[in-house]
Amino acid sequence: MFKFNYLIYDSMKKKLKNISIKEFEEEYSMIYGAFELLINDKMYNYIVRYKDQKFCNEKEKEEFDDLFELQDIISLWIIIFLEICIELKKKDYVAVMDIESKNWIEFKRINNELYISQIEEEKVKSKITNSHIVKVYNKFYDEDKNKNIFFKEEKINFEEFISEIQITTKKFIKEIKEINPVLLKSKEVSSIIKKYNILTSKEYLAEEN
């Protein structure tokens, strides 16, 4: 089982609702919120949801939004996963670095099965000498039983993985259109649409529902 969940908080939606492209590119350039991955019984990252909170008044909700609205760059993670999908159709190994935690997520494809692991930064420090490298296509760390791997080789169906990223991306594009359709022409969202079209081998139409 694989799920990619995300949440754009209400305060961020409000800020984006009437913003121009120029203002968006200058002030934000990316879409913020929170995301999480569910990989079988393992979780990567975490969304703090409204339904789990109790607000006594609007001010408490605003304070909550202020705390979490910039937690993750959702648009960047969608781009990363679109690229992973595209590359895994041609390659059998991709690993990407979480630029915040410095840990890595490893994807190994064997036929129609995908094995996902989270590798801690300490395992790879000596192997990655260029600090600008955030993606690799061959195994790049030494196995060490004394080092922690947060989860290792969680097996999921490759087509299920591709389908989930397609569904999530289409949902995200639709939500951005509902918030403020001019943002579909921003650099970040345009990049998402372009990569979505490559992955699905079809042209995304702005009129799609």
Side-chain angles (χ1 to χ4, degrees), residues 21-208:
I21 287 286
K22 185 174 184 295
E23 291 170 329
F24 174 76
E25 300 290 8
E26 290 175 353
E27 294 181 33
Y28 301 103
S29 78
M30 299 177 179
I31 306 295
Y32 292 84
F35 89 101
E36 67 187 13
L37 305 176
L38 302 178
I39 309 164
N40 297 325
D41 62 342
K42 306 297 190 297
M43 179 180 285
Y44 184 87
N45 219 38
Y46 180 70
I47 295 175
V48 183
R49 293 171 168 82
Y50 289 118
K51 65 182 181 64
D52 299 323
Q53 312 302 313
K54 290 184 179 179
F55 304 115
C56 295
N57 50 55
E58 188 62 27
K59 182 173 175 54
E60 286 189 2
K61 182 176 181 296
E62 289 174 358
E63 290 173 349
F64 172 84
D65 278 0
D66 288 343
L67 189 60
F68 292 106
E69 69 175 10
L70 300 176
Q71 179 177 322
D72 299 305
I73 307 173
I74 302 171
S75 56
L76 175 61
W77 278 103
I78 289 176
I79 287 172
I80 288 170
F81 271 84
L82 285 168
E83 290 176 347
I84 289 168
C85 289
I86 292 166
E87 287 160 358
L88 282 173
K89 285 194 168 189
K90 300 175 288 185
K91 302 177 176 69
D92 58 13
Y93 187 101
V94 179
V96 295
M97 184 178 74
D98 182 335
I99 57 175
E100 293 182 1
S101 71
K102 305 299 184 185
N103 295 320
W104 291 71
I105 311 176
E106 176 188 67
F107 302 83
K108 294 190 289 187
R109 181 174 62 82
I110 302 176
N111 298 320
N112 202 41
E113 303 293 344
L114 189 63
Y115 296 85
I116 306 176
S117 303
Q118 183 187 359
I119 314 300
E120 71 166 340
E121 179 199 10
E122 291 301 317
K123 256 186 176 295
V124 303
K125 264 187 174 178
S126 61
K127 296 291 183 180
I128 301 293
T129 56
N130 185 337
S131 61
H132 297 293
I133 292 177
V134 295
K135 192 182 296 179
V136 294
Y137 301 104
N138 292 288
K139 187 175 176 182
F140 60 111
Y141 61 93
D142 295 323
E143 292 291 350
D144 182 346
K145 292 181 180 179
N146 295 320
K147 292 290 187 181
N148 182 32
I149 296 182
F150 297 101
F151 53 84
K152 183 175 182 179
E153 295 191 346
E154 289 291 326
K155 183 173 79 170
I156 62 171
N157 180 272
F158 180 58
E159 293 303 324
E160 177 189 351
F161 174 77
I162 297 287
S163 176
E164 175 65 11
I165 299 305
Q166 290 177 346
I167 290 167
T168 300
T169 303
K170 189 170 183 179
K171 175 189 169 189
F172 176 81
I173 295 169
K174 182 180 178 182
E175 185 168 4
I176 295 303
K177 182 183 176 185
E178 290 170 351
I179 294 169
N180 185 346
V182 305
L183 297 180
L184 294 177
K185 296 183 179 180
S186 67
K187 292 177 182 177
E188 188 84 344
V189 182
S190 291
S191 178
I192 287 173
I193 293 172
K194 181 178 180 180
K195 293 179 191 300
Y196 173 82
N197 287 339
I198 292 170
L199 180 61
T200 59
S201 299
K202 75 169 193 175
E203 190 71 21
Y204 175 83
L205 302 175
E207 297 81 29
E208 282 192 26

